[in-house]
Amino acid sequence: MTNPSRPSRRTLRENTEPGVRVPTWLRVLLPVVLIGVWLAGAAIGGPYFGRVDEVSSNDRTSYLPATAEATEVQERLSDFTEGDAIPAVIVWAADADLSEDDLAAIDDSLAGIADLDVVAGDLSPAIPSEDGRAVQAFVPLDGDADLGDAVAELRSDLRDGAPEGVTVAVTGPAGFTSDLVGAFAGIDGLLLGVALGAVLVILVLVYRSLLLPIAVLATSLFALCVALLTVWWLAKADVLALSGQTQGILFILVIGAATDYALLYVARYRDELVRTPRPWDATWRALRRSVEPIVASGGTVIAGLLCLLLSDLRSNSSLGPVAAIGIVFSILSALTLLPALLFALGRAAFWPRRPKFDPDAALEDERSGLWAKVAGLISRRPRAIWIGTAAVLALGCVGLVQLQASGVPQSELVLGQSEARDGQAVLGEHFPGGSGSPASVIAPEDRLQDVADVLLANEGVAEVAIVVDGSGQTAPVTEDGIGAFGPPGTPAPEPVVADGDVLLQATFSDAADSIAAEDTVRELRTELADAVPGALVGGETATDVDTNDASIRDRTLIVPLVLAVILVILMLLLRSVLAPVLLVLTTVLSFGTAMGVAALVFNHVFDFPGADPAVPLFGFVFLVALGIDYNIFLMSRVREESLAHGTREGVLRGLRLTGGIITSAGLVLAATFTALSVIPVLFLVQIAFIVAFGVLLDTFIVRSLLVPALATDIGRAIWWPSKLARGRE
């Protein structure tokens, strides 16, 4: 007796009947044109990998919202000083007191760098520490120069001129920015090479083929080339802001997403080659059945990413459209270039395991294998499986209470060796902790002393100075007014006045990137708002404060919005209300587990100093948007099978038919995001772990066990309120 829930051999053979005949010239011309267009796009876009630096910036202040106080101060600094110089702090230190000869050599070294092209103004004199074991100096560097090269040149010259037994380091804003630029130096070659290499290994192991992995990688790489070309020109026109961080995420997202979409099409195409004798018919049948899940999956990711446009931070709001552009070209490449390549290669694309036309073999494949066994297990005990897996995931969420995502010091952004971080530590041992990165306070000229009094009264402020000439020269301000440079009797210099305002600089007692310094900024803003309304506090520490505040606000706004948008898309795709709600809940549960486990690993294994407030937001957007992809791949196939075989059998058939390909796609995406960890930047390493671990959770637990078991247990009611809910169980 035949099982009515399974297709008969006759049905399978009927599916192989030819469709509309297409002229031979069109079957040849269309693939050639598609391949040619993508080749041209890749040829034009490829060279732009080496030109990203021309349109990217890692200056954190430039990514602040326009309404941030630190941004207002930054925009007005040029009114008080010449140009847009970035300060570098040089610190010399020794284990013993510096001798007269040491001090003379330091003065000579300082004089020697004054003529460097990268120096944008007058250098400060060498300033000895009170303990006599260190000297600091401030050097303005040209903000339009390549800061990485500028600081490298400065460091080289200073090391050559340092006295024996004296160490020298360049730190401050210029030093930290240079180290960050250096961390992103390998993003074009190293990151791309590791990601593509990981994908190639997985594809070879999965398909045990040589040509097919190359075709899939070409799909991903060509999509990335064209996406980068588009993004580059938009950044050139100042439509988008591009940074090393955004660039890295774009690379990984396009490679991972394009490969996932390609794998979905490959699976459909291979199935159709078994059921259909002609590659042309197999191509069109595979395309018709792949378009909806691929477009829906990509559309979900794009919708989630575009929610970032509501972010107050330009770095976040620009990442949304940049990454969305990458996903658009990933979809287009998977649905045009890959079908053309595979049609051109024919069955040889799968060599040496070429699929043969054999409808009976297709039927047998559906009834055997690992995923048939998993489906059998779920059919026997669905309730125990979904309750058990949900409990395990809920247990992982407990780690969320240990998540430290309130911000990290600037000195901790770069992992591994950092001369700027080492120099900042030395600076803090011998000088006030905030030396080199003072807060910039803009206030009305007629309230100068009132502002100074507020600053001096705060325990977190060590020194106060005022800018007295266009080169950035400052004079000390005390409770008695502006001090003089020269001997007693020398008149006090006049401050620089712009639009009735003056610029004061407050050096903090604590390191500029410390939590204590951030607390001082918040206190000063509150005190000045009461004492001198209109006074503005900016600078490096204020930038950190405003960035963290904006990130927290973004999380509160964007997270629920992403969930709502994805829920609507799923409802439209599955023609159901209950199924989308359950899919979103399972994905959120998976995200909570990933973040909980990540918090434990970051705190107790890697011993990270914390996390940026944007880490949970980025992790959420990527995990929920990408994680829902696999549920879309699964449930769209389940719905298709349920229409023919009933819901419970449709769930099991959908799992059997998609299990292998979705697992492969999950491994690919996890591997590509893991590649982000080769860039020694704390934010990217944390995102790499969260997304890679979360994707594996989605792949092996949520999509393989939890969702199928839950759908099987609920039965046809899962499609409520559509007609399918009233169909066969």
Side-chain angles (χ1 to χ4, degrees), residues 197-499:
V199 172
L200 179 61
V201 169
I202 292 173
L203 291 178
V204 170
L205 292 176
V206 169
Y207 288 109
R208 283 170 279 177
S209 168
L210 296 178
L211 290 177
L212 186 60
I214 293 174
V216 172
L217 281 183
T219 301
S220 304
L221 194 55
F222 283 21
L224 179 56
C225 288
V226 179
L228 182 62
L229 175 65
T230 305
V231 168
W232 193 95
W233 281 105
L234 290 174
K236 180 75 171 177
D238 289 329
V239 175
L240 299 173
L242 192 61
S243 66
Q245 177 178 293
T246 304
Q247 179 187 350
I249 292 174
L250 173 68
F251 284 10
I252 292 303
L253 198 59
V254 172
I255 293 171
T259 303
D260 276 5
Y261 303 150
L263 291 178
L264 183 64
Y265 174 80
V266 167
R268 281 288 195 174
Y269 181 62
R270 188 184 183 284
D271 288 347
E272 295 304 332
L273 284 176
V274 174
R275 294 177 169 85
T276 308
R278 288 175 293 275
W280 179 262
D281 294 335
T283 297
W284 281 108
R285 290 167 64 92
L287 267 177
R288 286 198 303 270
R289 295 177 179 179
S290 300
V291 165
E292 185 177 41
I294 289 178
V295 172
S297 299
T300 302
V301 179
I302 291 170
L305 290 168
L306 290 181
C307 289
L308 290 173
L309 285 169
L310 298 175
S311 171
D312 264 355
L313 293 173
R314 196 179 176 208
S315 55
N316 292 354
S317 61
S318 291
L319 173 63
V322 166
I325 288 170
I327 296 297
V328 167
F329 286 109
S330 298
I331 295 172
L332 292 175
S333 181
L335 293 177
T336 57
L337 174 61
L338 183 64
L341 288 173
L342 294 185
F343 173 73
L345 293 171
R347 298 176 191 271
F350 297 86
W351 182 87
R353 304 175 66 196
R354 302 186 185 190
K356 298 179 180 179
F357 171 55
D358 187 350
D360 292 340
L363 182 63
E364 293 304 319
D365 285 345
E366 293 176 10
R367 297 172 178 172
S368 61
L370 172 63
W371 293 103
K373 295 178 181 178
V374 173
L377 176 64
I378 290 174
S379 69
R380 291 190 296 272
R381 305 194 65 182
R383 185 165 301 174
I385 290 174
W386 79 255
I387 291 176
T389 52
V392 171
L393 292 173
L395 183 63
C397 295
V398 175
L400 280 169
V401 298
Q402 295 196 28
L403 182 64
Q404 303 173 18
S406 58
V408 294
Q410 183 186 9
S411 57
E412 301 292 346
L413 293 180
V414 176
L415 300 175
Q417 196 276 333
S418 168
E419 181 175 320
R421 180 170 58 239
D422 297 339
Q424 186 69 39
V426 172
L427 203 63
E429 293 175 7
H430 303 281
F431 297 92
S435 294
S437 301
S440 299
V441 181
I442 296 177
E445 179 189 10
D446 58 358
R447 302 297 302 275
L448 186 160
Q449 193 60 50
D450 294 333
V451 172
D453 290 343
V454 171
L455 298 177
L456 292 167
N458 191 294
E459 293 181 357
V461 176
E463 300 170 355
V464 177
I466 188 166
V467 175
V468 294
D469 68 30
S471 65
Q473 184 72 40
T474 61
V477 180
T478 67
E479 294 176 356
D480 299 324
I482 301 175
F485 292 119
T490 303
E494 291 293 325
V496 176
V497 180
D499 295 330

Side-chain angles (χ1 to χ4, degrees), residues 81-164:
T81 59
E82 297 173 354
D84 296 318
I86 300 176
V89 183
I90 307 171
V91 57
W92 294 263
D95 294 332
D97 290 349
L98 295 171
S99 66
E100 292 297 328
D101 290 341
D102 291 337
L103 295 174
I106 289 173
D107 285 335
D108 291 341
S109 179
L110 197 57
I113 65 172
D115 295 329
L116 294 177
D117 292 338
V118 296
V119 176
D122 295 335
L123 283 64
S124 76
I127 305 170
S129 63
E130 291 185 2
D131 61 13
R133 296 184 178 184
V135 170
Q136 69 173 341
F138 306 105
V139 180
L141 298 183
D142 185 357
D144 294 327
D146 185 318
L147 208 56
D149 293 340
V151 173
E153 181 181 3
L154 194 62
R155 286 171 172 166
S156 177
D157 285 13
L158 289 169
R159 278 193 292 266
D160 292 341
E164 185 176 353

Side-chain angles (χ1 to χ4, degrees), residues 20 79 126 129 254 423 493 537 555 575 586 639 652 670 679 702:
V20 178
D79 296 338
S129 63
V254 172
V537 180
R555 283 200 321 235
R575 289 83 160 173
T586 60
R639 188 178 188 280
L652 302 179
I679 305 301
V702 176

Side-chain angles (χ1 to χ4, degrees), residues 552-686:
I552 293 170
R553 176 262 180 194
D554 288 346
R555 283 200 321 235
T556 306
L557 171 66
I558 295 175
V559 165
L561 182 61
V562 170
L563 286 177
V565 169
I566 290 176
L567 187 61
V568 170
I569 293 175
L570 286 176
M571 288 178 178
L572 294 174
L573 175 68
L574 299 177
R575 289 83 160 173
S576 167
V577 172
L578 182 58
V581 169
L582 294 176
L583 291 180
V584 168
L585 288 176
T586 60
T587 304
V588 171
L589 179 61
S590 175
F591 167 73
T593 305
M595 290 301 301
V597 172
L600 297 175
V601 172
F602 295 165
N603 295 343
H604 305 295
V605 179
F606 297 143
D607 196 27
F608 287 153
D612 188 279
V615 166
L617 173 62
F618 278 50
F620 179 85
V621 170
F622 291 136
L623 268 186
V624 172
L626 294 172
I628 211 73
D629 270 7
Y630 301 129
N631 281 328
I632 288 176
F633 291 167
L634 170 66
M635 293 305 289
S636 61
R637 187 61 180 261
V638 166
R639 188 178 188 280
E640 178 183 330
E641 298 296 332
S642 296
L643 288 169
H645 308 286
T647 296
R648 286 196 168 90
E649 179 63 21
V651 171
L652 302 179
R653 285 179 58 82
L655 178 60
R656 291 197 297 265
L657 293 168
T658 64
I661 191 61
I662 295 179
T663 300
S664 301
L667 289 173
V668 165
L669 192 61
T672 52
F673 265 92
T674 300
L676 270 179
S677 61
V678 303
I679 305 301
V681 175
L682 179 63
F683 179 88
L684 294 182
V685 171
Q686 291 176 327

